[in-house]
Amino acid sequence: MRVLFASSEVHPYSKTGGLADMVGALAKAMARAGHEVGVVSPLYRGIRERFPALRRMDWRLELPLGHRLIRGELWALSTEPRLTFYFVAQAGFFDRNGIYNEHGVDYADNAERFIFLSKAVVHLARYLPWQPEILHVHDWQTGVAPLLVRHQRESEQWQGAPPVVFTIHNLAYQGWFPLAALELLNVSPGLWSGAEHQGMLNCMKAGIALADVITTVSPRYAREVLTPEYGEGLDWLLRQRQARFFGILNGVDYDEWKTTGNPFLKYPYSIRNLAGKRRNKIALQQELGLPQRPDMPLFATISRLTEQKGMSIELPALEEMLHRDIQFVLLGSGEPRFESAFQELAARFPQKVAVRLGYDTPLSHRIEAGSDFYLMPSKFEPCGLNQMFSLRYGTVPVVRAVGGLADTVVDATEDPSCPTGIKFYNYSAQALAKAMQKALAIFADPSLLSFYRRNGMRVDFSWERTMREYLKVYQQALGKD
Ligand code: ADP
């Protein structure tokens, strides 16, 4: 099959979260399985310097954006057979310090930036010589692409336009803009209603309303978002489109997330030989300035610091638990109120808490490898990746049972013969603290801890299974099943 992906971020070129991981890994898995794959994303600042093999294509973009004509270039990089990354270069829009925002403030022209990206995507879908059979777009930043395809199919004689699959990675971010931004689409007003919601342009809604097939990143989240509690005001539309809406669990790129042959880890280890994990723990404690105590249970979180990730219950739960003999490590960045609260915690418990604000992939591997327990108390979680990385790294996840966390972690109450982690249900600091106490009881029993670790390390979330499910969805979009 020939598939063109489009995303505002793709690993390893640009990343703020799981969206980038998923698009990069799915594209790679498909190409390796013999499919022809392209991936379109913006040429952000620094990508060319980090990847000097990028080549400018002999292809100039000149696309209408409301009353303006915007010029751009295309750069490309083929990393392996059948896999090409296309970068949309538009310095005014993408040559900036941030991807979506700076200092916590969204760029004022995000409608222009991402509608332009969506137009470039549709342009490529239409004119690439290898003629993609499926256009697979992701999240609100490319959410208007299905509408643009429909416009070109109906008004510009684009026969053979590919069906569009739209994947929701997080329904909470919808791309709301003033209604005037509809003009940027340059489509007939008859099509505007698909993108309009409560008197505004809503790019997520456009994707849901107009894509041929909609998916999201775990089966549980696909059920949750049909309810008002998790539906972010769009549950009614998702219920309308339910027959074409599927939940497919993301995979993990085990080429990168591995405990042997991993360039970021000093001590390799495996399910048969866990000794290296203890060494990684001591090395991590040393790196972060904590007492080197392998006998102390070490909890960790690597995350965007937002309400979604459960930070407002994690802080008070830690507050309660830090009076015990535990250590805690945080790597993350996000809302200033959470950043300063974690920094204060580290200042008050210097022997127990280490906080690193920022984004650091190598350190995230070392934390996953060196910790005993991984805390993920999300309010909602479309899929979540770190609990899956944790399982592979023998780090027992402690999660709230929502979305992908519910789908990927097995609590002893669900299957006493093969538990992989600890689940709690109420969104409260007390419930999390209680789950952490269960973790301490497991830690106190080395054979039980090793049982959990090995169960988790055996779980396989590789991309092959995920990819096969997407291929089925593509067949459905093509009307072939
Ligand atoms: P989301 O996409 O909602 O942020 P996911 O769990 O799906 O959450 O994906 C988050 C991804 O970003 C993971 O690969 C995680 O390791 C990574 N990540 C998040 N924060 C940091 C950070 N501060 N440093 C390094 N990696 C991070």
Side-chain angles (χ1 to χ4, degrees):
M1 204 171 284
R2 301 185 303 275
V3 187
L4 185 64
F5 289 92
S7 170
S8 55
E9 48 185 280
V10 55
H11 179 72
Y13 308 100
S14 50
K15 170 168 163 179
T16 69
L19 165 65
D21 289 304
M22 185 276 196
V23 175
L26 180 59
K28 192 168 78 176
M30 290 221 165
R32 289 189 182 171
H35 303 283
E36 185 70 41
V37 181
V39 185
V40 192
S41 70
L43 186 72
Y44 296 112
R45 178 170 294 173
I47 296 179
R48 268 178 56 197
E49 290 70 23
R50 284 188 292 122
F51 297 90
L54 245 75
R55 290 286 167 261
R56 185 163 56 204
M57 294 173 75
D58 185 18
W59 189 334
R60 297 294 138 91
L61 296 172
E62 201 173 62
L63 300 169
L65 194 68
H67 301 299
R68 295 191 291 161
L69 256 190
I70 306 287
R71 295 208 166 86
E73 292 176 350
L74 285 170
W75 290 66
L77 180 64
S78 291
T79 50
E80 51 189 282
R82 298 177 296 278
L83 180 57
T84 307
F85 292 88
Y86 299 96
F87 297 90
V88 177
Q90 213 301 320
F93 287 154
F94 302 127
D95 188 11
R96 301 183 183 183
N97 285 332
I99 291 187
Y100 310 118
N101 51 48
E102 254 172 76
H103 312 300
V105 182
D106 282 345
Y107 290 125
D109 58 352
N110 273 348
E112 283 85 350
R113 298 172 75 224
F114 292 108
I115 290 175
F116 178 76
L117 173 67
S118 303
K119 290 193 170 178
V121 166
V122 173
H123 179 81
L124 277 163
R126 187 165 181 176
Y127 296 108
L128 272 172
W130 54 273
Q131 298 202 322
E133 294 164 279
I134 290 280
L135 175 59
H136 186 168
V137 302
H138 299 262
D139 266 355
W140 73 261
Q141 294 86 350
T142 47
V144 299
L147 185 150
L148 298 170
V149 169
R150 179 168 299 193
H151 167 75
Q152 294 194 24
R153 192 189 286 145
E154 289 172 3
S155 313
E156 295 179 8
Q157 292 80 44
W158 183 9
Q159 276 108 26
V164 188
V165 175
F166 177 60
T167 296
I168 301 167
H169 293 255
N170 192 335
L171 195 60
Y173 300 95
Q174 299 187 354
W176 292 90
F177 299 103
L179 210 52
L182 284 167
E183 307 264 358
L184 300 171
L185 296 169
N186 304 92
V187 299
S188 44
L191 282 176
W192 284 359
S193 64
E196 198 180 328
H197 187 40
Q198 297 177 339
M200 295 185 79
L201 163 62
N202 181 321
C203 299
M204 177 67 83
K205 189 219 161 195
I208 297 171
L210 294 159
D212 295 276
V213 173
I214 308 133
T215 72
T216 190
V217 289
S218 72
R220 172 73 69 111
Y221 190 61
R223 293 198 295 279
E224 288 172 346
V225 292
L226 300 177
T227 67
E229 189 185 353
Y230 293 97
E232 304 284 348
L234 291 176
D235 45 293
W236 59 276
L237 181 61
L238 286 161
R239 286 196 300 276
Q240 273 178 24
R241 303 232 51 206
Q242 205 170 343
R244 307 224 112 208
F245 177 44
F246 307 96
I248 301 177
L249 192 70
N250 279 344
V252 171
D253 189 344
Y254 291 122
D255 289 348
E256 298 196 2
W257 292 92
K258 57 189 178 186
T259 55
T260 53
N262 182 332
F264 302 132
L265 299 184
K266 224 169 170 176
Y267 304 104
Y269 62 100
S270 67
I271 197 161
R272 278 178 302 283
N273 181 6
L274 278 165
K277 183 161 176 68
R278 183 187 161 95
R279 286 196 205 103
N280 282 310
K281 177 174 177 178
I282 297 170
L284 179 69
Q285 288 169 325
Q286 185 177 24
E287 176 178 359
L288 298 178
L290 291 171
Q292 291 162 51
R293 293 272 308 274
D295 58 316
M296 270 254 220
L298 175 52
F299 291 83
T301 292
I302 302 163
S303 183
R304 292 185 290 119
L305 303 180
T306 62
E307 187 65 42
Q308 179 205 332
K309 298 293 180 181
M311 293 306 135
S312 51
I313 66 168
E314 185 160 328
L315 280 157
L318 285 167
E319 195 69 57
E320 185 181 331
M321 294 299 293
L322 279 165
H323 296 288
R324 308 253 196 135
D325 268 348
I326 66 166
Q327 293 180 337
F328 171 70
V329 169
L330 173 97
L331 169 62
S333 60
E335 289 181 34
R337 62 182 170 133
F338 293 129
E339 292 191 352
S340 52
F342 278 111
Q343 275 176 315
E344 269 170 41
L345 204 64
R348 280 177 37 226
F349 296 94
Q351 298 295 306
K352 292 185 171 178
V353 177
V355 169
R356 292 290 176 275
L357 297 181
Y359 198 93
D360 186 339
T361 299
L363 179 58
S364 74
H365 284 258
R366 293 197 291 277
I367 292 177
E368 283 288 5
S371 308
D372 299 302
F373 298 99
Y374 188 86
L375 299 178
M376 207 154 166
S378 305
K379 196 168 195 180
F380 66 92
E381 193 59 74
C383 177
L385 292 173
N386 277 98
Q387 83 282 11
M388 297 198 265
F389 302 156
S390 299
L391 290 170
R392 182 48 62 110
Y393 280 52
T395 300
V396 180
V398 179
V399 304
R400 181 157 179 260
V402 283
L405 300 173
D407 285 337
T408 52
V409 174
V410 180
D411 188 88
T413 54
E414 295 170 300
D415 182 358
S417 69
C418 196
T420 60
I422 299 165
K423 277 177 170 167
F424 67 98
Y425 294 84
N426 282 346
Y427 187 67
S428 72
Q430 290 81 353
L432 171 57
K434 222 168 139 189
M436 289 173 74
Q437 284 161 20
K438 286 189 191 170
L440 295 188
I442 293 172
F443 190 83
D445 179 345
S447 63
L448 187 60
L449 179 61
S450 157
F451 179 56
Y452 270 81
R453 281 190 171 146
R454 288 172 208 271
N455 291 342
M457 291 175 89
R458 248 181 241 121
V459 177
D460 187 2
F461 294 114
S462 55
W463 270 99
E464 284 62 47
R465 177 195 45 80
T466 307
M467 182 197 69
R468 279 198 298 276
E469 290 193 51
Y470 276 104
L471 288 171
K472 270 194 242 157
V473 158
Y474 297 163
Q475 293 295 344
Q476 179 141 6
L478 286 162
K480 284 187 185 162
D481 70 335

